[in-house]
PDB file of all heavy atoms in Angstrom:
ATOM      1  N   GLY A 230       0.141   0.023 -11.962  1.00 98.00           N
ATOM      2  CA  GLY A 230       0.334  -1.019 -10.888  1.00 98.00           C
ATOM      3  C   GLY A 230      -0.876  -1.128 -10.068  1.00 98.00           C
ATOM      4  O   GLY A 230      -1.902  -0.380 -10.267  1.00 98.00           O
ATOM      5  N   GLN A 231      -0.831  -2.003  -9.186  1.00 98.00           N
ATOM      6  CA  GLN A 231      -1.948  -2.211  -8.209  1.00 98.00           C
ATOM      7  C   GLN A 231      -1.424  -2.317  -6.783  1.00 98.00           C
ATOM      8  O   GLN A 231      -0.347  -2.767  -6.550  1.00 98.00           O
ATOM      9  CB  GLN A 231      -2.638  -3.597  -8.534  1.00 98.00           C
ATOM     10  CG  GLN A 231      -3.334  -3.578  -9.946  1.00 98.00           C
ATOM     11  CD  GLN A 231      -4.577  -2.705 -10.096  1.00 98.00           C
ATOM     12  OE1 GLN A 231      -5.292  -2.517  -9.131  1.00 98.00           O
ATOM     13  NE2 GLN A 231      -4.764  -2.145 -11.283  1.00 98.00           N
ATOM     14  N   VAL A 232      -2.310  -1.827  -5.882  1.00 98.00           N
ATOM     15  CA  VAL A 232      -2.044  -2.066  -4.459  1.00 98.00           C
ATOM     16  C   VAL A 232      -3.265  -2.593  -3.779  1.00 98.00           C
ATOM     17  O   VAL A 232      -4.385  -2.266  -4.101  1.00 98.00           O
ATOM     18  CB  VAL A 232      -1.571  -0.684  -3.810  1.00 98.00           C
ATOM     19  CG1 VAL A 232      -2.585   0.393  -3.958  1.00 98.00           C
ATOM     20  CG2 VAL A 232      -1.274  -0.886  -2.298  1.00 98.00           C
ATOM     21  N   LEU A 233      -3.061  -3.549  -2.885  1.00 98.00           N
ATOM     22  CA  LEU A 233      -4.166  -4.024  -2.030  1.00 98.00           C
ATOM     23  C   LEU A 233      -3.708  -4.055  -0.579  1.00 98.00           C
ATOM     24  O   LEU A 233      -2.444  -4.181  -0.317  1.00 98.00           O
ATOM     25  CB  LEU A 233      -4.539  -5.455  -2.397  1.00 98.00           C
ATOM     26  CG  LEU A 233      -5.565  -5.567  -3.544  1.00 98.00           C
ATOM     27  CD1 LEU A 233      -5.870  -7.106  -3.788  1.00 98.00           C
ATOM     28  CD2 LEU A 233      -6.834  -4.812  -3.322  1.00 98.00           C
ATOM     29  N   VAL A 234      -4.617  -3.934   0.341  1.00 98.00           N
ATOM     30  CA  VAL A 234      -4.339  -3.999   1.785  1.00 98.00           C
ATOM     31  C   VAL A 234      -4.088  -5.527   2.026  1.00 98.00           C
ATOM     32  O   VAL A 234      -4.892  -6.392   1.661  1.00 98.00           O
ATOM     33  CB  VAL A 234      -5.543  -3.500   2.589  1.00 98.00           C
ATOM     34  CG1 VAL A 234      -5.399  -3.881   4.042  1.00 98.00           C
ATOM     35  CG2 VAL A 234      -5.625  -1.959   2.446  1.00 98.00           C
ATOM     36  N   SER A 235      -2.917  -5.866   2.651  1.00 98.00           N
ATOM     37  CA  SER A 235      -2.534  -7.282   2.778  1.00 98.00           C
ATOM     38  C   SER A 235      -3.628  -8.067   3.567  1.00 98.00           C
ATOM     39  O   SER A 235      -3.905  -9.224   3.173  1.00 98.00           O
ATOM     40  CB  SER A 235      -1.161  -7.367   3.395  1.00 98.00           C
ATOM     41  OG  SER A 235      -1.057  -6.596   4.563  1.00 98.00           O
ATOM     42  N   ASP A 236      -4.202  -7.496   4.544  1.00 98.00           N
ATOM     43  CA  ASP A 236      -5.199  -8.192   5.398  1.00 98.00           C
ATOM     44  C   ASP A 236      -6.428  -8.556   4.494  1.00 98.00           C
ATOM     45  O   ASP A 236      -6.987  -9.563   4.725  1.00 98.00           O
ATOM     46  CB  ASP A 236      -5.661  -7.301   6.533  1.00 98.00           C
ATOM     47  CG  ASP A 236      -4.516  -7.150   7.562  1.00 98.00           C
ATOM     48  OD1 ASP A 236      -3.466  -6.774   7.179  1.00 98.00           O
ATOM     49  OD2 ASP A 236      -4.828  -7.508   8.786  1.00 98.00           O
ATOM     50  N   ASP A 237      -6.756  -7.661   3.501  1.00 97.00           N
ATOM     51  CA  ASP A 237      -7.861  -7.952   2.628  1.00 97.00           C
ATOM     52  C   ASP A 237      -7.513  -9.117   1.657  1.00 97.00           C
ATOM     53  O   ASP A 237      -8.319 -10.029   1.491  1.00 97.00           O
ATOM     54  CB  ASP A 237      -8.239  -6.724   1.793  1.00 97.00           C
ATOM     55  CG  ASP A 237      -8.889  -5.619   2.609  1.00 97.00           C
ATOM     56  OD1 ASP A 237      -9.345  -5.859   3.713  1.00 97.00           O
ATOM     57  OD2 ASP A 237      -8.835  -4.479   2.145  1.00 97.00           O
ATOM     58  N   LEU A 238      -6.367  -9.015   1.096  1.00 97.00           N
ATOM     59  CA  LEU A 238      -6.026 -10.112   0.108  1.00 97.00           C
ATOM     60  C   LEU A 238      -5.751 -11.447   0.714  1.00 97.00           C
ATOM     61  O   LEU A 238      -5.974 -12.442   0.066  1.00 97.00           O
ATOM     62  CB  LEU A 238      -4.898  -9.632  -0.879  1.00 97.00           C
ATOM     63  CG  LEU A 238      -3.427  -9.814  -0.562  1.00 97.00           C
ATOM     64  CD1 LEU A 238      -2.969 -11.203  -1.062  1.00 97.00           C
ATOM     65  CD2 LEU A 238      -2.615  -8.771  -1.336  1.00 97.00           C
ATOM     66  N   LEU A 239      -5.275 -11.450   1.974  1.00 98.00           N
ATOM     67  CA  LEU A 239      -5.098 -12.677   2.693  1.00 98.00           C
ATOM     68  C   LEU A 239      -6.270 -13.184   3.388  1.00 98.00           C
ATOM     69  O   LEU A 239      -6.262 -14.249   3.937  1.00 98.00           O
ATOM     70  CB  LEU A 239      -3.952 -12.496   3.711  1.00 98.00           C
ATOM     71  CG  LEU A 239      -2.537 -12.138   3.134  1.00 98.00           C
ATOM     72  CD1 LEU A 239      -1.546 -11.798   4.221  1.00 98.00           C
ATOM     73  CD2 LEU A 239      -2.002 -13.346   2.287  1.00 98.00           C
ATOM     74  N   GLY A 240      -7.346 -12.349   3.395  1.00 97.00           N
ATOM     75  CA  GLY A 240      -8.563 -12.863   4.071  1.00 97.00           C
ATOM     76  C   GLY A 240      -8.411 -12.818   5.548  1.00 97.00           C
ATOM     77  O   GLY A 240      -8.962 -13.667   6.272  1.00 97.00           O
ATOM     78  N   LEU A 241      -7.790 -11.721   6.051  1.00 97.00           N
ATOM     79  CA  LEU A 241      -7.637 -11.626   7.549  1.00 97.00           C
ATOM     80  C   LEU A 241      -8.684 -10.634   8.161  1.00 97.00           C
ATOM     81  O   LEU A 241      -8.804 -10.642   9.323  1.00 97.00           O
ATOM     82  CB  LEU A 241      -6.233 -11.063   7.880  1.00 97.00           C
ATOM     83  CG  LEU A 241      -5.123 -12.085   7.962  1.00 97.00           C
ATOM     84  CD1 LEU A 241      -3.787 -11.401   7.961  1.00 97.00           C
ATOM     85  CD2 LEU A 241      -5.232 -12.982   9.143  1.00 97.00           C
ATOM     86  N   THR A 242      -9.380  -9.935   7.234  1.00 95.00           N
ATOM     87  CA  THR A 242     -10.304  -8.915   7.702  1.00 95.00           C
ATOM     88  C   THR A 242     -11.641  -9.596   8.000  1.00 95.00           C
ATOM     89  O   THR A 242     -12.066 -10.548   7.300  1.00 95.00           O
ATOM     90  CB  THR A 242     -10.501  -7.765   6.713  1.00 95.00           C
ATOM     91  OG1 THR A 242     -10.171  -8.273   5.422  1.00 95.00           O
ATOM     92  CG2 THR A 242      -9.568  -6.631   7.001  1.00 95.00           C
ATOM     93  N   GLU A 243     -12.381  -8.979   9.033  1.00 92.00           N
ATOM     94  CA  GLU A 243     -13.684  -9.499   9.321  1.00 92.00           C
ATOM     95  C   GLU A 243     -14.703  -8.970   8.276  1.00 92.00           C
ATOM     96  O   GLU A 243     -14.555  -7.900   7.745  1.00 92.00           O
ATOM     97  CB  GLU A 243     -14.189  -9.071  10.691  1.00 92.00           C
ATOM     98  CG  GLU A 243     -13.466  -9.842  11.787  1.00 92.00           C
ATOM     99  CD  GLU A 243     -13.902  -9.383  13.164  1.00 92.00           C
ATOM    100  OE1 GLU A 243     -15.113  -9.621  13.501  1.00 92.00           O
ATOM    101  OE2 GLU A 243     -13.142  -8.929  13.943  1.00 92.00           O
TER     102      GLU A 243
END
Side-chain angles (χ1 to χ4, degrees):
Q231 295 291 327
V232 55
L233 276 182
V234 168
S235 51
D236 290 54
D237 289 342
L238 90 85
L239 294 172
L241 277 168
T242 25
E243 284 182 64

